[in-house]
């Protein structure tokens, strides 16, 4: 295998060699190493992405835009962004002027992916990450969607155990970049599932990267996905391995954390203020406790954009960044490394997010890769399954009750209401499971308003099996209260509900009291605490995921079709070219007080 330095140089010219061509490795990096010895510090560029989620094609709808301030008007505008061809082109351009460059990621490269990647178990995304020059990534929670064995296959290669190899016997080679999982260990052996850190050299100076995912991963992934694994505290783990790296003479350390924050501004390069006061969420507490020897922190998970400074335990500002999601941004971090001490010169660290504009140069080798898999997926992806009259927003809605969430819940209740399909009386959808908007504009030749299988898959990519369970009225009320209490108190997860359920959510109150119990009505009637109700939800939610243990207490479980099959069947049955579906009215949850986006 090529060294990391040599491989990066090779990838910079891979377009000239073709998708599978032989590449001649230049020696510019060696010359830079020799010249750097004359200086006390060396310059290092880090290029960072996070939460790519297999978005090889330019994302549609709100998922494919970035908010920025128009310099001409001073107004916030939405700019089209993303697409791996443009991302690779932008990264290659950014590296040109750098003395040395390392490309990193903070997890969720795969999982919840559109069909072009997901149909092939995200192998196309792993190939794309190698081609655009990724060196190292922490694992995210979505890397565990298909279980730890599949994650290891992503790293090591080999054909899928059930579906085999996809074409002409070609074996999937696995990732050439390094996946890190310092805080994910085997329950029996206690050993990390993947290496805890990765060390390389930049112009003679050792640089170490520690990768962790959020400690709460088991709460947001199916039980099967994390079976046999333990997830340790992020801070404790990073500090442990930072000490180990220092003992080995590695004093320039960067943390790649799949956990993030919520900036006060939605514009793409928000700096959070001089003392980091403009950001909240889990990353603030984490960053304030990580050992000062860690010179920079690169984050993800919340899909937000920021380039902030948050004080370390000594009160010294430290760079903390995130590049939104779906390849719409990348972060450029420039720093100096002290050749004598081997440390990152903290005051030198400068971070800035860059928009991956679709007016930029495409990387031809990535275009070839995407077109190759699009062609293979086309017969399934382009099949029409329904019609809509306008955009129906999911991820693009900042409301607690989302139009697309209403539509999905309606589909589940409608398709599972028959006695032989579970007798569902009401359905619930977790907001985090809505991965996109349902976009009116045509993505290809299908025509405006046509919902293809590929579009529906992008909205519901998990293909979780539906479950119908019996809950008492008291448990149903408890379920609604768990949206805003327990593990969800700090960051409420408001369930999307079918059209026959109505209630009031008073956001001026706290905890469970936010749900006005006397207002809850199912089919116009008050909930009887002693009565039994048949409730539908996807298997992740029905097993208690996302902080809803009331679901797990349900009885008389019946397993139905997948959430995607239920959704597409509803679209086909209830829409046509002459009578397309309209966006639901969002009149099920009456919100009193602030209704900020909490997805």
């Amino acid at each position: 295998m090529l060294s990391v330095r040599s491989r990066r140089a090779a990838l910079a010219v891979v377009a000239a060699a073709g998708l599978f061509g032989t590449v001649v490795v230049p020696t510019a990096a060696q010359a830079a190493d020799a010249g750097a010895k004359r200086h006390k510090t060396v310059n290092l560029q880090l290029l960072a992405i996070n939460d790519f989620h297999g978005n090889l094609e330019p994302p549609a709808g709100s998922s494919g835009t970035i908010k920025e301030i128009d310099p001409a008007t001073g107004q916030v505008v939405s700019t089209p962004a993303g697409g791996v061809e443009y991302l690779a082109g932008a990264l290659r351009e950014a590296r040109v002027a750098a003395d040395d460059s390392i490309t990193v990621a903070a997890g969720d490269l795969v999982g919840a992916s559109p069909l072009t990647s997901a149909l092939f178990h995200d192998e196309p995304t792993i190939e794309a990450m190698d081609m655009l020059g990724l060196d190292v990534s922490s694992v995210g929670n979505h890397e565990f969607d298909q279980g730890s064995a599949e994650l290891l296959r992503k790293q090591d290669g080999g054909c899928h155990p059930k579906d085999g190899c996809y074409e002409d016997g070609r074996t999937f080679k696995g990732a050439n970049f390094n996946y890190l999982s310092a805080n994910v260990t085997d329950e029996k052996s206690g050993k990390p599932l993947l290496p805890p850190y990765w060390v390389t050299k930049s112009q003679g100076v050792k640089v170490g990267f520690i990768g962790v995912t959020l400690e709460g991963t088991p709460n947001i992934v199916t039980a099967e996905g994390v079976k046999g694994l333990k997830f340790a505290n992020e801070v404790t783990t990073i500090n442990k391995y930072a000490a180990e790296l220092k003992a080995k003479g590695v004093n320039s350390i960067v943390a790649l954390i799949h956990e993030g924050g919520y900036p006060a501004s939605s514009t793409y390069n928000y700096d959070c203020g001089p003392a980091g006061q403009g950001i909240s969420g889990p990353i603030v507490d984490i960053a304030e406790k990580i050992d000062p020897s860690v010179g920079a922190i690169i984050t993800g998970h919340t899909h937000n954009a920021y380039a902030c400074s948050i004080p370390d335990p000594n009160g010294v500002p430290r760079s903390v960044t995130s590049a939104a999601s779906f390849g719409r941004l990348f972060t450029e971090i420039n720093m100096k490394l002290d050749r004598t001490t081997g440390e990152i010169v903290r005051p030198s660290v400068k971070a800035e997010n860059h928009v991956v504009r679709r007016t930029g140069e495409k990387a031809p080798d990535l275009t070839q890769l995407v077109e190759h898999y699009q062609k293979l997926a086309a017969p399934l992806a382009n099949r029409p399954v329904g019609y809509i009259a306008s955009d129906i927003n999911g991820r693009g809605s900042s409301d607690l009750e989302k139009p697309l969430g209403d539509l999905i819940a309606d589909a589940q209740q409608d398709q599972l209401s028959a006695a032989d399909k579970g007798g569902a009386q009401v359905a619930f959808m977790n907001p985090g499971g809505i991965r996109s908007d349902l976009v009116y504009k045509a993505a290809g030749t299908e025509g405006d308003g046509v919902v293809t299988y590929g579009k529906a898959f992008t909205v519901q990519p998990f293909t979780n099996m539906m479950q119908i369970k019996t809950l008492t009225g008291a448990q149903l009320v408890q379920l609604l209260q768990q949206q805003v209490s327990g593990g969800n108190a700090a960051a409420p997860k408001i369930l999307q509900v079918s059209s026959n359920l109505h209630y009031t959510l008073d956001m001026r109150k706290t905890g469970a009291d936010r749900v006005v119990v006397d207002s809850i009505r199912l089919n116009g009637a008050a909930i009887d605490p002693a009565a039994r109700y048949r409730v539908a939800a996807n298997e992740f939610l029905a097993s208690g995921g996302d902080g809803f243990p009331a679901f797990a207490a349900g009885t008389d479980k019946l397993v139905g079709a997948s959430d995607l099959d239920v959704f597409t069947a509803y679209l086909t049955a209830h829409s046509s070219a002459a009578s397309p579906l309209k966006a639901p009215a969002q009149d099920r949850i009456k919100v009193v007080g602030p209704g900020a986006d909490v997805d």
Side-chain angles (χ1 to χ4, degrees):
M1 182 182 294
L2 295 174
S3 70
V4 174
R5 300 275 77 72
S6 298
R7 180 165 59 84
R8 186 175 301 108
L11 288 165
V13 296
V14 72
L19 184 60
F20 300 109
T22 301
V23 181
V24 178
V25 179
T27 60
Q30 296 174 351
D33 282 349
K37 293 177 180 178
R38 298 192 298 268
H39 304 281
K40 293 182 179 179
T41 62
V42 297
N43 298 317
L44 174 62
Q45 176 196 70
L46 301 182
L47 301 177
I49 61 173
N50 54 274
D51 297 276
F52 184 75
H53 289 291
N55 278 265
L56 299 173
E57 300 151 303
S62 63
S63 296
T65 63
I66 281 291
K67 292 182 179 179
E68 60 179 328
I69 298 175
D70 184 341
T73 65
Q75 301 298 311
V76 176
V77 297
S78 294
T79 300
V84 76
E85 307 156 283
Y86 298 103
L87 175 61
L91 292 174
R92 290 170 183 174
E93 183 179 357
R95 295 182 189 120
V96 170
D99 292 344
D100 194 14
S101 183
I102 300 173
T103 302
V104 306
D108 275 7
L109 298 174
V110 299
S113 305
L115 192 66
T116 301
S117 183
L119 186 61
F120 308 101
H121 298 285
D122 278 317
E123 292 176 16
T125 293
I126 299 298
E127 291 182 43
M129 293 295 107
D130 278 339
M131 292 168 65
L132 62 74
L134 183 64
D135 291 303
V136 63
S137 177
S138 59
V139 295
N141 54 287
H142 280 284
E143 263 87 10
F144 294 98
D145 284 346
Q146 304 303 317
S148 59
E150 176 62 7
L151 170 57
L152 293 175
R153 188 182 76 88
K154 295 285 197 305
Q155 178 73 86
D156 299 330
C159 297
H160 190 271
K162 292 184 179 179
D163 295 337
C165 296
Y166 289 110
E167 49 182 324
D168 300 328
R170 183 170 69 90
T171 301
F172 172 59
K173 296 180 179 179
N176 199 26
F177 63 87
N178 303 273
Y179 262 130
L180 306 178
S181 64
N183 66 328
V184 185
T185 57
D186 182 272
E187 281 185 333
K188 294 180 179 179
S189 69
K191 295 180 178 179
L193 177 68
L194 286 158
Y197 54 75
W198 174 71
V199 178
T200 186
K201 279 188 177 183
S202 178
Q203 304 168 88
V205 180
K206 293 179 181 178
V207 184
F209 296 86
I210 303 169
V212 299
T213 190
L214 67 155
E215 184 180 6
T217 293
N219 299 322
I220 54 176
V221 174
T222 61
E224 190 65 26
V226 295
K227 185 177 180 180
L229 301 175
K230 292 181 67 175
F231 291 75
N233 179 263
E234 304 94 336
V235 172
T236 303
T237 302
I238 291 170
N239 288 348
K240 168 188 173 181
Y241 286 113
E244 184 171 313
L245 284 171
K246 287 190 292 183
K248 293 182 176 182
V250 182
N251 295 317
S252 287
I253 303 171
V254 177
L256 307 175
I257 306 176
H258 191 70
E259 180 60 287
Y262 301 95
S265 170
S266 60
T267 54
Y268 76 92
N269 207 33
Y270 182 55
D271 67 3
C272 305
Q277 69 271 28
I279 187 170
S280 60
I283 198 60
V284 177
D285 183 61
I286 291 171
E288 290 176 343
K289 294 178 180 177
I290 288 176
D291 191 277
S293 63
V294 176
I297 299 172
I298 296 166
T299 76
H301 186 56
T302 59
H303 291 206
N304 287 311
Y306 45 85
C308 301
S309 292
I310 298 176
D312 69 11
N314 294 334
V316 179
R318 175 168 50 193
S319 177
V320 180
T321 64
S322 176
S325 60
F326 305 156
R328 296 172 293 164
L329 296 177
F330 70 91
T331 310
E332 180 181 2
I333 307 168
N334 288 292
M335 62 182 66
K336 292 184 182 296
L337 311 180
D338 189 306
R339 289 186 56 79
T340 302
T341 66
E343 296 175 346
I344 294 172
V345 182
R346 287 270 293 274
S348 74
V349 179
K350 306 296 180 186
E352 182 179 7
N353 282 328
H354 298 289
V355 180
V356 178
R357 302 181 190 277
R358 297 180 194 166
T359 55
E361 192 76 22
K362 290 184 181 181
D365 51 325
L366 271 299
T367 299
Q368 186 179 346
L369 178 80
V370 173
E371 290 177 347
H372 174 73
Y373 283 105
Q374 283 176 329
K375 184 178 180 179
L376 292 177
L380 179 61
N382 297 337
R383 176 167 60 86
V385 296
Y387 300 84
I388 55 175
S390 62
D391 285 356
I392 303 179
N393 286 338
R395 300 297 278 195
S397 172
S398 60
D399 297 325
L400 297 179
E401 180 186 346
K402 304 177 189 307
L404 189 49
D406 285 351
L407 180 62
I408 292 170
D410 286 347
Q412 294 174 352
Q413 196 274 325
D414 176 89
Q415 294 292 301
L416 302 172
S417 60
D420 63 339
K421 293 185 178 180
Q425 297 169 269
V426 63
F428 295 90
M429 176 63 192
N430 54 310
I434 308 168
R435 304 305 298 184
S436 183
D437 303 327
L438 204 53
V439 179
Y440 176 79
K441 185 178 180 180
T445 60
E446 74 274 14
D448 291 346
V450 178
V451 181
T452 62
Y453 184 86
K455 284 184 177 180
F457 188 96
T458 300
V459 170
Q460 292 255 264
F462 298 107
T463 57
N464 282 325
M465 304 308 292
M466 292 299 301
Q467 292 186 5
I468 304 89
K469 289 183 171 182
T470 297
L471 270 65
T472 66
Q475 289 172 324
L476 189 56
V477 171
Q478 186 182 31
L479 174 68
L480 292 173
Q481 291 174 327
Q482 286 170 355
Q483 300 175 107
V484 288
S485 62
N488 294 328
K493 288 184 171 66
I494 306 305
L495 297 172
Q496 310 298 286
V497 300
S498 51
S499 62
N500 55 347
L501 181 68
H502 296 81
Y503 70 97
T504 297
L505 190 65
D506 190 345
M507 299 301 286
R508 299 170 300 183
K509 297 181 180 180
T510 60
D513 290 339
R514 287 178 165 178
V515 175
V516 182
V517 175
D518 291 344
S519 72
I520 304 173
R521 294 290 184 274
L522 181 61
N523 296 317
I527 298 295
D528 179 354
R532 293 162 61 85
Y533 299 90
R534 293 292 282 168
V535 180
N538 62 61
E539 60 184 317
F540 166 69
L541 198 55
S543 65
D546 260 357
F548 292 97
F551 263 129
T555 59
D556 304 320
K557 179 177 72 175
L558 185 145
V559 178
S562 75
D563 52 6
L564 178 61
D565 286 347
V566 165
F567 185 48
T568 56
Y570 180 84
L571 291 172
T572 300
H574 292 274
S575 69
S576 66
S579 181
L581 281 171
K582 297 179 180 179
Q586 297 175 261
D587 57 0
R588 305 166 193 192
I589 306 172
K590 181 181 179 181
V591 180
V592 179
D597 185 13
V598 294
D599 280 1

